Amino acid sequence: GFLPLQGHVVRNWKVRWFVLLQDKLLYYKIEGGKKEPSPKGRILLDGCTITCPCLEYENRPLLIKLKTKTNTDYFLECCSREERDSWALDITGAIHAGHPVQVQELHRMKNSFKLLENISLHNIVERMYDSSTGIKLTRNLDQGSRYKETFTGSALVDWLISNSFAVSRFEAVTLASMLMDENFLRPVGVRSTEATRSSDPSEKFLDDSTALYMFAESSKKNTSSKEEVHFNISELSGTIVKQGFLVKQGHKRKNWKVRKFVLRADPAFLHYYDPTKEDNKPVGGFSLRGCLVSALEDNGVPAGVKGNVQGNLFKIITKNDIHYYIQASSKAERVQWIEAIKPLT
């Protein structure tokens, strides 16, 4: 699948197509909408160590870090918590292929941490900001340092339960951990920061009156003007139905770029992001109301499509007659996206 990878010489981010084998992780360059035949590089897994979650980059909360036997660091970014945990589990399984007990323990840990369904994190954060019913921000002291506009872990757990976002303290802790992973919240002070380094996801957020948290700066940056706040609330507050990396043809240059697509309902919008950029703002998007979505046959390149494309194409036509040509990584993935989009049109 597609994952953004940080370069070693120039420390920028490039999206590559990764293939996990028994002893190595290969990555390929995408050129003109098609995977190049030879790998761009490889990560040898023998003696490799994996860090997940990796919290070295504040603006990229869904990272996996691989350190090879020769002490070379690789940073891979996933588009969702589910994808990150799935990649981490499979890579760790390949690293510890000769140690089945460790692999079983990994499966147990993953299955014990269930994601909540049908919850919009944007909606929760919007409610948290509400001046009358939101989370109360206070000044707090932690090991001699003063922090403004913070709240404690136990206060957030209480707030999530009282606002019916969770029915138990365990569910609330799980949800708070998701808010941290998606970079809506960040820990401040020694206790909460140390907890984020826990290998157990259920222990990363502390339900504690001495653990301090605050809104992440990135969530404030996206609300710089009244007009932009309205835009974000109206389009980006819906429940995330599906997200993933797809290859999209540009409207002007007709070149193919890998984009992170996020499908939301209520309201129904499809947004796409440039995964190589540091900010988490969409580079495009459109309402799905009145759209037509259909698969394109692979026997020949349809009119309107440029380049020697890989295949698995589908097309979305908006009610304003704008045509979007998109490639999935497989026929099965194409079917999944079409079936997810159709009910929202």
Side-chain angles (χ1 to χ4, degrees), residues 151-172:
F151 45 86
T152 66
S154 57
L156 178 56
V157 169
D158 291 341
W159 184 89
L160 290 169
I161 293 173
S162 65
N163 284 272
S164 303
F165 289 115
V167 297
S168 67
R169 300 195 79 82
F170 176 78
E171 279 191 12

Side-chain angles (χ1 to χ4, degrees), residues 78-220:
C78 299
C79 71
S80 66
R81 186 193 187 105
E82 304 97 306
E83 185 189 52
R84 182 199 64 188
D85 292 348
S86 178
W87 270 106
L89 186 72
D90 291 340
I91 293 171
T92 307
I95 294 172
H96 300 297
H99 305 279
V101 174
Q102 289 177 287
V103 177
Q104 288 175 4
E105 178 65 14
L106 283 163
H107 279 282
R108 185 197 66 77
M109 283 178 59
K110 181 183 179 185
N111 292 332
S112 68
F113 191 70
K114 297 293 186 184
L115 285 170
L116 306 179
E117 296 180 355
N118 300 322
I119 284 185
S120 166
L121 297 183
H122 287 276
N123 182 43
I124 293 175
V125 174
E126 183 187 333
R127 291 274 297 277
M128 288 176 68
Y129 270 116
D130 190 282
S131 57
S132 58
T133 60
I135 189 84
K136 302 303 179 187
L137 304 178
T138 59
R139 294 173 180 264
N140 283 287
L141 187 68
D142 184 272
Q143 306 230 348
S145 299
R146 293 185 179 278
Y147 298 96
K148 297 179 181 179
E149 297 186 329
T150 59
F151 45 86
T152 66
S154 57
L156 178 56
V157 169
D158 291 341
W159 184 89
L160 290 169
I161 293 173
S162 65
N163 284 272
S164 303
F165 289 115
V167 297
S168 67
R169 300 195 79 82
F170 176 78
E171 279 191 12
V173 167
T174 303
L175 191 52
S177 299
M178 292 168 63
L179 290 168
M180 280 204 306
D181 278 350
E182 298 294 338
N183 210 29
F184 289 111
L185 310 179
R186 67 182 180 89
V188 290
V190 176
R191 284 214 67 211
S192 55
T193 303
E194 284 294 325
T196 59
R197 300 188 175 94
S198 171
S199 59
D200 187 343
S202 63
E203 297 176 1
K204 283 171 35 181
F205 181 89
L206 297 178
D207 179 8
D208 193 293
S209 61
T210 62
L212 301 182
Y213 300 88
M214 67 188 305
F215 291 111
E217 288 299 316
S218 62
S219 62
K220 295 179 181 178

Side-chain angles (χ1 to χ4, degrees), residues 45-63:
L45 298 178
D46 180 38
C48 201
T49 59
I50 182 170
T51 302
C52 179
C54 173
L55 304 171
E56 295 189 25
Y57 291 88
E58 182 180 345
N59 290 335
R60 294 181 179 270
L62 295 172
L63 287 179

Side-chain angles (χ1 to χ4, degrees), residues 19 21 33 56 78 101 153 174 251 253 284 289:
V19 177
L21 303 179
E56 295 189 25
C78 299
V101 174
T174 303
H251 288 293
R253 295 179 58 192
R289 296 301 179 195

Side-chain angles (χ1 to χ4, degrees), residues 19-20 52 68 84 94 230 245 255 293 296 311:
V19 177
L20 177 61
C52 179
T68 67
R84 182 199 64 188
H230 178 72
F245 294 111
N255 56 348
V293 57
L296 296 175

